[in-house]
Amino acid sequence: MPSEKNAFKERKTSEVNKIILEARGLQMSFGGLMALDNFSLRLAAGELHGLIGPNGAGKTTVFNLFSGFYRPTDGEIIFNGSSILGLPPQQIAGLGITRTFQNIRLFQELSVLENVLIPFHSRSKINFWQAILRSPGFRREEKFFRQQAWELLEKIGLQDSGREMAGGLPYGQQRRLEIARALAAAPLLLLLDEPAAGLNPRETEDLMVLLQDLKEQYNLAILLIDHDMKFVMHICQCLTVLDHGLTIAQGPPAVIQKNRRVLKAYLGEDPNA
């Protein structure tokens, strides 16, 4: 059996900074409404990139395009060297793009461990009859998956809650469990939709430490949306700012904070007025 690190596709040093995702000229319209216009983005392995903007700017549309829930009206999405246009969400997840959602989508009536085991089982090599007959191969694989799941929960800080029902966890721990479940699919790219929403200051700090650790250990590309500006400015290496479907700025946080178009989009007025 491979080790946990192999299962998570730990990247070689030579793959650091490899371009994992490239979006070129993406457009998305709903009827006569242009939700996203000429959106482009390049993400490298090991990069933590933030996507920000006012409500309705098009951020969730980008996530839905990358994860296969929408197909763009125009443009191209290249992931790990191949186009993923038209692929269903489950196939895109299998290629290495996983996501969390703004509204937590856990299996509330299953245990914390069972929630994490579900993505592991999606990678099973066992056929139907081996599972029904509980063959030696099935038992070995099940033992291996459970070991990996426990190790992942320990990494996330939920090892003491593994047998509890997911719906009974405090809100901050449910957010962590969502991340653990996304990681169980061994992604190359992790999409996080408002991971700091509803967290208290201490939980937000802990989340920053966790994400930095994960991206460095597994050389993950992480793209996140969040409205907590202190959080995104502190943790992200680069930011892309959307407003009414248009990219109005892109660059490191120190530059974005001083950008007049960004300030106007957030404040609704000319900052020099």
Side-chain angles (χ1 to χ4, degrees), residues 4 8 116 120 147-159 179-185 214 218:
E4 182 199 14
F8 275 86
V116 176
F120 280 115
Q147 178 185 349
Q148 284 195 311
W150 279 115
E151 291 176 357
L152 180 54
L153 288 175
E154 183 176 6
K155 182 70 178 174
I156 296 294
L158 293 176
Q159 67 273 21
I179 294 174
R181 193 173 61 178
L183 288 171
L214 291 174
Y218 302 120

Side-chain angles (χ1 to χ4, degrees), residues 10-146:
E10 189 173 37
R11 287 13 137 208
K12 298 177 182 178
T13 304
S14 61
E15 293 180 327
V16 174
N17 298 325
K18 173 186 175 182
I19 297 300
I20 292 297
L21 179 89
E22 186 170 6
R24 304 169 183 166
L26 291 182
Q27 291 186 347
M28 187 69 208
S29 61
F30 300 96
L33 175 65
M34 184 66 73
L36 195 69
D37 189 13
N38 197 29
F39 178 83
S40 297
L41 181 70
R42 284 162 58 92
L43 286 176
E47 179 180 357
L48 209 164
H49 194 109
L51 186 61
I52 64 173
N55 289 330
K59 304 182 296 295
T60 300
T61 298
V62 171
F63 270 31
N64 286 334
L65 290 170
F66 288 168
S67 52
F69 289 95
Y70 295 161
R71 178 168 183 150
T73 310
D74 197 7
E76 186 66 87
I77 305 173
I78 304 297
F79 177 67
N80 204 23
S82 300
S83 173
I84 58 172
L85 283 185
L87 298 183
Q90 64 270 22
Q91 188 172 348
I92 289 176
L95 292 174
I97 300 179
T98 59
R99 68 176 291 183
T100 65
F101 293 85
Q102 182 177 355
N103 299 315
I104 294 174
R105 299 188 182 184
L106 299 174
F107 296 101
Q108 302 283 329
E109 302 304 317
L110 296 181
S111 72
V112 170
L113 179 65
E114 288 167 335
N115 267 270
V116 176
L117 278 172
I118 289 171
F120 280 115
H121 286 140
S122 70
R123 308 205 307 268
S124 175
K125 304 299 182 184
I126 298 300
N127 64 39
F128 174 80
W129 289 110
Q130 286 176 304
I132 289 295
L133 298 174
R134 300 187 64 83
S135 68
F138 169 82
R139 293 195 298 271
R140 285 194 300 271
E141 186 181 71
E142 185 69 13
K143 179 180 179 181
F144 174 61
F145 284 162
R146 292 180 72 86

